[in-house]
Amino acid sequence: MTEAAALPPAPEVAREVFGDRFPDAVRYAELLAEAGVQRGLIGPREVPRLWERHILNCAVLSEVVPEGVTVCDVGSGAGLPGIPLALVREDLKITLLEPLLRRTNFLTEVVELLGLDHVTVVRGRAEEVMGTLPPVHVVTARAVAPLDRLATWGIPLLRPYGEMLALKGDTAEEELKSAATALSKLGAVGTSVLQVGEDVVDPLSTVVRVEVGESPGGVRFAAKRAKAARTGRARRRR
């Protein structure tokens, strides 16, 4: 097993980004560098760049998330981008959605330790929770899957006229181009590639934004959502 390198001190810009939540951001970084590495959630070689390439890289996503909305972080893993986003934006209601037990255990511990009352951890796959989780305004994701596959999981969780925000790398434009047909079938009505994090991270964080119309997920998922809603109402009447 590779020994984890020491966690570097938080850069000064992190104080500006996280404000009053800066001590909690430091604690989260420590948890990632310790328990995160020990449990296999973060590679030991990532520890020296946890701040710039992971925590701050995710925190700047807040620049393009509307105020006061509901968010579902799909495939949240070790809490990226959901936890940094929650530390920056207490106006959001965030669900961290993750199928693996060891990861949801870690996320639950982090949420409790940091007192993130506006964050809920749910264990499950996106395709399994549709109909049990209320549709959200925004779906976020980072390093989960290629865009076309990610869209089939994330877009059906959106409410009408919501948006999916996916943190991507240098291949963002290519992925968007190759996923165009799939996105259209899933009800996407607009797409764009955004650069965020100026004066915070270098290189800037790249975000693919996919906006949906009145039928997120397309006709097939609309029917599935309606069926799930009917089932839910029937159960509540019992």
Side-chain angles (χ1 to χ4, degrees):
M1 181 181 295
T2 304
E3 185 177 349
L7 176 68
E12 194 60 32
V13 70
R15 293 181 180 274
E16 301 172 22
V17 171
F18 291 103
D20 292 343
R21 282 286 195 172
F22 173 70
D24 293 321
V26 172
R27 184 65 185 125
Y28 176 54
E30 293 169 347
L31 290 166
L32 287 176
E34 296 162 5
V37 171
Q38 292 164 7
R39 301 184 196 183
L41 307 182
I42 290 286
R45 294 181 180 176
E46 295 302 308
V47 173
R49 58 181 192 169
L50 269 179
W51 282 106
E52 288 81 3
R53 298 302 300 275
H54 296 283
I55 298 173
L56 288 170
N57 176 274
C58 291
V60 296
L61 182 63
S62 65
E63 294 177 17
V64 290
V65 177
E67 186 176 350
V69 298
T70 52
V71 178
C72 183
D73 188 30
V74 172
S76 196
L80 300 165
I83 297 293
L85 183 62
L87 289 170
V88 175
R89 297 283 301 277
E90 296 192 45
D91 60 299
L92 306 174
K93 296 291 185 183
I94 300 177
T95 298
L96 306 179
L97 181 61
E98 169 56 49
L100 295 184
L101 180 60
R102 63 188 172 92
R103 293 176 180 171
T104 53
N105 285 343
F106 175 80
L107 292 172
T108 300
E109 291 167 18
V110 171
V111 167
E112 291 176 354
L113 279 169
L114 303 186
L116 298 174
D117 298 333
H118 57 307
V119 178
T120 303
V121 179
V122 174
R123 185 185 176 198
R125 299 183 184 279
E127 59 269 32
E128 297 168 348
V129 301
M130 189 175 67
T132 60
L133 284 182
V136 297
H137 298 91
V138 177
V139 163
T140 60
R142 178 181 188 254
V144 173
L147 187 60
D148 54 351
R149 200 187 321 158
L150 173 63
T152 65
W153 303 332
I155 287 180
L157 299 178
L158 290 169
R159 55 188 292 171
Y161 306 104
E163 59 185 347
M164 183 175 73
L165 299 172
L167 280 160
K168 288 289 184 179
D170 296 337
T171 62
E173 294 279 4
E174 295 173 19
E175 283 194 53
L176 191 52
K177 191 176 297 184
S178 62
T181 300
L183 293 175
S184 179
K185 290 179 179 178
L186 288 166
V189 296
T191 60
S192 54
V193 176
L194 312 172
Q195 300 287 323
V196 296
E198 189 172 357
D199 298 325
V200 178
V201 290
D202 184 17
L204 298 178
S205 297
T206 301
V207 181
V208 173
R209 171 186 271 159
V210 179
E211 300 166 278
V212 300
E214 62 183 14
S215 299
V219 176
R220 182 166 63 92
F221 284 102
K224 190 174 180 180
R225 266 196 304 275
K227 182 179 178 181
R230 288 195 299 271
T231 302
R233 286 195 295 269
R235 286 175 179 167
R236 287 192 292 273
R237 285 196 294 268
R238 290 175 187 171

Coordinates of all heavy atoms in Angstrom, one line a residue, residues 53 57 141-147 166-176 193-195 203-208:
R53 N -7.1 20.7 -6.6 CA -7.7 19.9 -7.7 C -9.0 19.2 -7.2 O -9.7 18.6 -8.1 CB -6.7 18.8 -8.1 CG -5.5 19.4 -8.7 CD -5.8 20.3 -9.9 NE -6.4 19.6 -11.0 CZ -5.8 18.8 -11.9 NH1 -4.5 18.8 -11.9 NH2 -6.5 18.2 -12.9
N57 N -11.8 23.0 -6.5 CA -12.2 22.7 -7.8 C -13.7 22.5 -7.8 O -14.5 22.8 -8.8 CB -11.5 21.5 -8.4 CG -12.0 21.1 -9.7 OD1 -12.9 20.3 -9.8 ND2 -11.3 21.5 -10.8
A141 N -22.6 16.3 -10.7 CA -21.8 15.1 -10.7 C -20.3 15.4 -11.1 O -20.1 16.5 -11.7 CB -22.3 14.1 -11.8
R142 N -19.4 14.6 -10.7 CA -18.0 14.8 -11.0 C -17.4 13.4 -11.1 O -17.4 12.6 -10.2 CB -17.3 15.6 -9.9 CG -15.8 15.8 -10.1 CD -15.3 16.6 -8.9 NE -13.9 17.0 -9.1 CZ -12.8 16.4 -8.5 NH1 -13.0 15.4 -7.7 NH2 -11.6 16.8 -8.7
A143 N -16.7 13.2 -12.3 CA -15.9 12.0 -12.5 C -16.8 10.7 -12.3 O -16.3 9.7 -11.7 CB -14.7 11.9 -11.6
V144 N -18.0 10.7 -12.7 CA -18.9 9.6 -12.5 C -18.9 8.7 -13.7 O -18.7 7.5 -13.6 CB -20.3 10.0 -12.2 CG1 -21.3 8.8 -12.1 CG2 -20.4 10.8 -10.8
A145 N -19.1 9.3 -14.9 CA -19.2 8.5 -16.1 C -19.2 9.4 -17.3 O -19.3 10.7 -17.2 CB -20.6 7.7 -16.2
P146 N -19.0 8.9 -18.5 CA -19.1 9.7 -19.7 C -20.4 10.4 -19.8 O -21.4 9.9 -19.2 CB -18.9 8.7 -20.9 CG -18.1 7.6 -20.3 CD -18.6 7.5 -18.9
L147 N -20.5 11.6 -20.4 CA -21.7 12.4 -20.3 C -23.0 11.8 -20.8 O -24.0 11.9 -20.2 CB -21.4 13.7 -21.2 CG -22.5 14.8 -21.1 CD1 -22.7 15.3 -19.6 CD2 -22.2 16.0 -22.0
A166 N -22.3 19.1 -14.7 CA -21.3 18.0 -14.6 C -19.9 18.6 -14.7 O -19.5 19.3 -15.7 CB -21.5 17.0 -15.7
L167 N -19.1 18.4 -13.7 CA -17.7 18.9 -13.7 C -16.9 17.9 -14.6 O -16.9 16.7 -14.4 CB -17.1 18.9 -12.3 CG -17.4 20.1 -11.4 CD1 -17.2 19.8 -10.0 CD2 -16.6 21.3 -11.8
K168 N -16.3 18.5 -15.6 CA -15.5 17.7 -16.6 C -14.2 18.2 -16.8 O -13.8 19.3 -16.3 CB -16.3 17.6 -17.9 CG -17.6 16.8 -17.9 CD -17.3 15.3 -17.8 CE -18.5 14.5 -17.9 NZ -18.2 13.0 -17.9
G169 N -13.4 17.5 -17.6 CA -12.0 18.0 -17.9 C -11.9 18.5 -19.3 O -12.8 19.1 -19.8
D170 N -10.7 18.2 -19.9 CA -10.4 18.8 -21.2 C -11.3 18.2 -22.3 O -11.4 18.8 -23.4 CB -8.9 18.5 -21.5 CG -8.0 19.2 -20.6 OD1 -8.4 20.2 -20.0 OD2 -6.8 18.7 -20.5
T171 N -11.9 17.1 -22.0 CA -12.7 16.4 -23.1 C -14.2 16.9 -23.1 O -15.0 16.3 -23.8 CB -12.7 14.9 -22.9 OG1 -13.3 14.6 -21.6 CG2 -11.3 14.4 -22.9
A172 N -14.5 18.0 -22.3 CA -15.9 18.4 -22.2 C -16.6 18.7 -23.5 O -17.7 18.2 -23.7 CB -15.9 19.6 -21.3
E173 N -15.9 19.4 -24.3 CA -16.5 19.8 -25.6 C -16.8 18.5 -26.5 O -17.8 18.4 -27.1 CB -15.6 20.8 -26.4 CG -15.5 22.1 -25.7 CD -16.6 23.1 -26.1 OE1 -17.6 22.6 -26.7 OE2 -16.6 24.2 -25.6
E174 N -15.8 17.6 -26.5 CA -15.9 16.4 -27.3 C -17.1 15.5 -26.7 O -17.9 15.0 -27.5 CB -14.6 15.6 -27.2 CG -13.5 16.3 -27.9 CD -12.2 15.5 -27.7 OE1 -12.2 14.3 -27.4 OE2 -11.1 16.2 -27.9
E175 N -17.1 15.4 -25.4 CA -18.2 14.6 -24.8 C -19.6 15.2 -25.1 O -20.5 14.5 -25.4 CB -18.0 14.5 -23.3 CG -17.0 13.6 -22.8 CD -17.1 13.3 -21.3 OE1 -18.2 12.9 -20.9 OE2 -16.1 13.4 -20.6
L176 N -19.7 16.5 -25.1 CA -20.9 17.2 -25.3 C -21.4 16.9 -26.8 O -22.5 16.7 -27.0 CB -20.8 18.7 -25.0 CG -22.1 19.5 -25.0 CD1 -23.1 18.9 -24.1 CD2 -21.8 20.9 -24.6
V193 N -20.8 24.8 -22.2 CA -19.6 24.5 -21.4 C -19.1 25.8 -20.8 O -18.9 26.8 -21.4 CB -18.4 23.9 -22.3 CG1 -17.2 23.7 -21.5 CG2 -18.9 22.6 -23.0
L194 N -19.0 25.8 -19.5 CA -18.6 26.9 -18.7 C -17.3 26.8 -18.0 O -16.9 25.7 -17.6 CB -19.7 27.2 -17.6 CG -21.2 27.1 -18.1 CD1 -22.1 27.2 -16.9 CD2 -21.5 28.2 -19.0
Q195 N -16.6 27.9 -17.8 CA -15.4 27.9 -17.0 C -15.6 28.7 -15.7 O -16.1 29.8 -15.8 CB -14.2 28.5 -17.8 CG -13.9 27.8 -19.1 CD -13.2 26.5 -18.9 OE1 -12.4 26.4 -18.0 NE2 -13.5 25.5 -19.7
P203 N -5.8 25.1 -13.4 CA -6.7 25.6 -14.4 C -8.1 25.8 -13.9 O -8.4 25.3 -12.8 CB -6.7 24.6 -15.5 CG -6.4 23.3 -14.8 CD -5.4 23.7 -13.7
L204 N -8.9 26.6 -14.6 CA -10.3 26.8 -14.2 C -11.1 25.5 -14.2 O -10.7 24.5 -14.9 CB -11.0 27.8 -15.1 CG -10.4 29.2 -15.2 CD1 -11.2 30.0 -16.2 CD2 -10.4 29.9 -13.8
S205 N -12.1 25.4 -13.4 CA -13.0 24.2 -13.4 C -13.9 24.3 -14.7 O -14.5 25.3 -14.9 CB -13.8 24.1 -12.2 OG -13.0 24.0 -11.0
T206 N -14.1 23.2 -15.3 CA -14.9 23.1 -16.5 C -16.2 22.4 -16.1 O -16.2 21.3 -15.6 CB -14.2 22.3 -17.6 OG1 -13.0 22.9 -18.0 CG2 -15.1 22.2 -18.9
V207 N -17.3 23.1 -16.5 CA -18.6 22.6 -16.1 C -19.5 22.4 -17.4 O -19.6 23.4 -18.2 CB -19.4 23.5 -15.2 CG1 -20.8 23.0 -14.8 CG2 -18.6 23.8 -13.9
V208 N -20.0 21.3 -17.6 CA -21.0 21.1 -18.7 C -22.4 21.3 -18.1 O -22.8 20.6 -17.2 CB -20.9 19.7 -19.3 CG1 -22.0 19.4 -20.3 CG2 -19.5 19.5 -20.0

